[in-house]
Amino acid sequence: MPSPRHDALTRLIRDHLDLPIRLLREVGGIELPTGGPLWVGPGDLRDRISREMHADTVVFAGPPQDRWFSTIVEVETEMSEQKLRQTVEAAEMLRLETRKPVYVIFITPDPDAACFTEPVEIQSGCLTITMDPVIVGPDRIPVLTDPTQMAADLLVAALSVMAHGHLPEVAEAFIKLLGDLPDDDAASLFGYTIDMAAPQARRLLEETVTIYIPEHSPWAQNLYRKGQAAGREEGREEGWKEGWKEGGEQGRAMGEVAALCTVLRVRGIDIPPARHREITTCTDLALLEIWLRRALEATHIDDLFDDDSGPEPRP
């Protein structure tokens, strides 16, 4: 099952299709045509004997009726020879289907990614297929420690935090950058990056947020509102409307619980089973509101609770 880091980076790529094309040019030194549309193609690739392979993202460039080239974008938490060889086959399937050039790019936080930069060959009888992928690992991603540098290229800033967010100077620069961005942009960028970061970097980012972003700042409140709105929407899907009809209080509590779980998930905070039970069975709206506000600054699930805020965790 894909990890949250994998899903967050894939989401970033799909929302910004120019990013892998830029990296092919800037990191791989590949000359590519410019000015045409970019669009996501199907990631399920099938050959003529019905073997199926799945690529994380396939980006087509150029008009749909006469595309210029295709790019397979793979997100790998940990690089492997097996994955490279599988991608050779996927690239060949795509080339046979489109009869156009195919490029392959791996984006990875794996510190050993530089070991996989050699071309990969698959031999079958007199046929040899060679793939020379562009691998964007931590050694190819700049260490950005200045908010001004980050502001000049927000996508590279997100990648820099993914690869180097365990460094305090990188985390500090990123959080300061968020304080200078429009609220919606800051919340979106933080959402991508907190999920893409490694656990150590995620904890550092969360700690740094509490230092440089005041709880009542517009950005923090916007993050709070986004989590609350998303959670309440989830709550509605699970019966919030019905709850309102039956008396209102239960429905509002379900919305607050869903909002709280969403904010914790966005901040990368694990919810142990006992705490999850305590949160999801709570119907005290005032207490849920306290927990929800504390979630903005929490770095651990226990930061939501104190001796006066509610019952002890159940076994």
Side-chain angles (χ1 to χ4, degrees):
M1 179 179 295
S3 67
R5 298 181 70 186
H6 174 281
D7 289 344
L9 185 49
T10 299
R11 192 170 72 249
L12 179 69
I13 291 165
R14 290 182 174 232
D15 287 347
H16 302 275
L17 294 181
D18 60 313
L19 177 59
I21 309 305
R22 284 179 48 199
L23 294 173
L24 284 173
R25 293 190 182 106
E26 297 171 8
V27 178
I30 298 172
E31 296 289 338
L32 296 170
T34 61
L38 300 174
W39 42 291
V40 176
D44 293 322
L45 307 174
R46 187 183 296 273
D47 65 12
R48 293 186 178 181
I49 59 174
S50 297
R51 291 181 306 167
E52 188 173 279
M53 301 190 69
H54 180 79
D56 286 337
T57 304
V58 175
V59 180
F60 293 134
Q65 67 276 15
D66 186 23
R67 66 192 73 165
W68 298 336
F69 62 88
S70 305
T71 300
I72 294 178
V73 187
E74 290 290 346
V75 174
E76 287 298 310
T77 302
E78 184 176 347
M79 295 293 298
S80 70
E81 190 70 27
Q82 179 183 9
K83 181 61 180 180
L84 286 169
R85 296 181 70 83
Q86 289 175 348
T87 309
V88 173
E89 297 181 358
E92 178 60 9
M93 290 180 192
L94 187 56
R95 188 194 67 81
L96 290 171
E97 175 190 341
T98 63
R99 302 295 177 176
K100 297 290 183 176
V102 175
Y103 300 95
V104 175
I105 181 169
F106 284 86
I107 302 177
T108 176
D110 187 349
D112 296 324
C115 300
F116 296 90
T117 55
E118 294 298 319
V120 183
E121 289 187 353
I122 292 182
Q123 291 185 326
S124 180
C126 64
L127 178 66
T128 299
I129 303 173
T130 302
M131 179 182 74
D132 192 4
V134 173
I135 299 182
V136 182
D139 62 317
R140 308 305 299 270
I141 298 173
V143 180
L144 299 181
T145 60
D146 183 348
T148 304
Q149 286 180 309
M150 289 186 170
D153 195 329
L154 297 180
L155 295 180
V156 173
L159 293 180
S160 184
V161 177
M162 176 197 74
H164 311 295
H166 59 285
L167 301 175
E169 56 270 30
V170 173
E172 180 179 327
F174 181 69
I175 297 304
K176 287 181 177 179
L177 163 71
L178 296 180
D180 294 333
L181 292 178
D183 295 341
D184 285 341
D185 293 345
S188 296
L189 188 60
F190 182 78
Y192 284 128
T193 311
I194 198 73
D195 286 341
M196 285 162 48
Q200 179 186 357
R202 188 180 302 124
R203 287 192 295 271
L204 183 56
L205 286 169
E206 291 165 350
E207 293 168 1
T208 309
V209 163
T210 64
I211 296 172
Y212 291 101
I213 306 295
E215 177 183 357
H216 299 294
S217 69
W219 179 80
Q221 289 301 306
N222 187 61
L223 181 65
Y224 166 82
R225 286 192 297 271
K226 278 181 176 289
Q228 190 176 50
R232 281 178 173 158
E233 183 62 31
E234 182 180 334
R236 280 196 290 271
E237 293 174 359
E238 295 176 358
W240 193 24
K241 290 180 180 178
E242 183 179 348
W244 269 101
K245 291 178 182 178
E246 294 178 354
E249 291 292 322
Q250 180 182 358
R252 288 196 293 274
M254 290 176 66
E256 293 295 313
V257 167
L260 175 57
C261 291
T262 299
V263 170
L264 291 171
R265 186 166 59 248
V266 167
R267 292 182 57 78
I269 297 175
D270 291 331
I271 310 176
R275 287 302 196 188
H276 187 268
R277 245 187 346 263
E278 185 173 354
I279 291 170
T280 55
T281 57
C282 180
T283 58
D284 186 332
L285 288 172
L287 181 55
L288 287 168
E289 182 71 17
I290 291 172
W291 290 346
L292 190 53
R293 291 190 175 278
R294 288 178 180 175
L296 282 174
E297 293 189 335
T299 59
H300 188 277
I301 186 64
D302 290 342
D303 294 341
L304 271 64
F305 307 90
D306 59 30
D307 292 341
D308 299 321
S309 68
E312 292 296 318
R314 300 176 186 178

Coordinates of all heavy atoms in Angstrom, one line a residue, residues 11 36 69 92 135 145 181 265 298 307:
R11 N 0.4 13.5 -5.4 CA -0.6 14.6 -5.5 C 0.0 15.9 -6.0 O -0.5 16.6 -6.8 CB -1.3 14.7 -4.2 CG -2.6 15.6 -4.2 CD -3.3 15.5 -2.9 NE -2.7 16.2 -1.8 CZ -2.1 15.6 -0.8 NH1 -2.1 14.2 -0.7 NH2 -1.5 16.3 0.2
G36 N 3.3 23.5 -25.3 CA 2.1 22.7 -25.5 C 1.4 22.3 -24.2 O 2.0 22.5 -23.1
F69 N 5.5 13.8 -26.6 CA 6.2 12.8 -25.9 C 5.4 12.4 -24.6 O 4.4 13.1 -24.3 CB 7.6 13.3 -25.5 CG 7.6 14.5 -24.6 CD1 7.6 14.4 -23.2 CD2 7.7 15.8 -25.1 CE1 7.6 15.5 -22.3 CE2 7.6 16.9 -24.3 CZ 7.6 16.7 -22.9
E92 N 8.5 0.6 -22.2 CA 8.5 0.0 -23.6 C 7.0 -0.2 -24.0 O 6.6 0.0 -25.2 CB 9.2 -1.3 -23.6 CG 9.2 -2.1 -24.9 CD 9.8 -1.3 -26.1 OE1 10.4 -0.2 -25.8 OE2 9.6 -1.7 -27.2
I135 N 17.0 10.5 -12.2 CA 16.7 10.2 -10.8 C 16.9 11.5 -10.0 O 18.1 11.9 -9.9 CB 17.5 9.0 -10.3 CG1 17.2 7.8 -11.2 CG2 17.2 8.8 -8.9 CD1 17.9 6.5 -10.8
T145 N 17.8 27.2 2.7 CA 17.8 27.7 4.1 C 17.4 29.1 4.2 O 17.4 29.7 5.3 CB 19.1 27.5 4.7 OG1 20.1 28.3 4.0 CG2 19.5 26.0 4.8
L181 N 3.1 33.9 3.0 CA 2.3 33.6 1.9 C 0.8 33.9 2.2 O 0.4 33.9 3.3 CB 2.4 32.1 1.6 CG 3.8 31.6 1.0 CD1 3.7 30.1 0.8 CD2 4.2 32.3 -0.3
R265 N -4.6 14.5 11.3 CA -4.1 13.8 10.2 C -3.2 14.7 9.3 O -2.1 14.3 8.9 CB -5.2 13.2 9.4 CG -4.7 12.3 8.2 CD -5.8 11.4 7.6 NE -6.9 12.2 7.1 CZ -8.1 12.3 7.6 NH1 -8.4 11.6 8.7 NH2 -9.0 13.0 7.1
A298 N -0.4 21.1 18.6 CA 0.1 19.8 19.2 C 1.2 19.2 18.4 O 1.2 19.3 17.2 CB -1.1 18.8 19.3
D307 N -5.4 17.0 32.8 CA -6.2 16.4 33.9 C -7.6 16.9 34.0 O -8.5 16.3 34.5 CB -5.5 16.6 35.3 CG -4.2 15.9 35.4 OD1 -4.0 14.9 34.6 OD2 -3.4 16.2 36.2

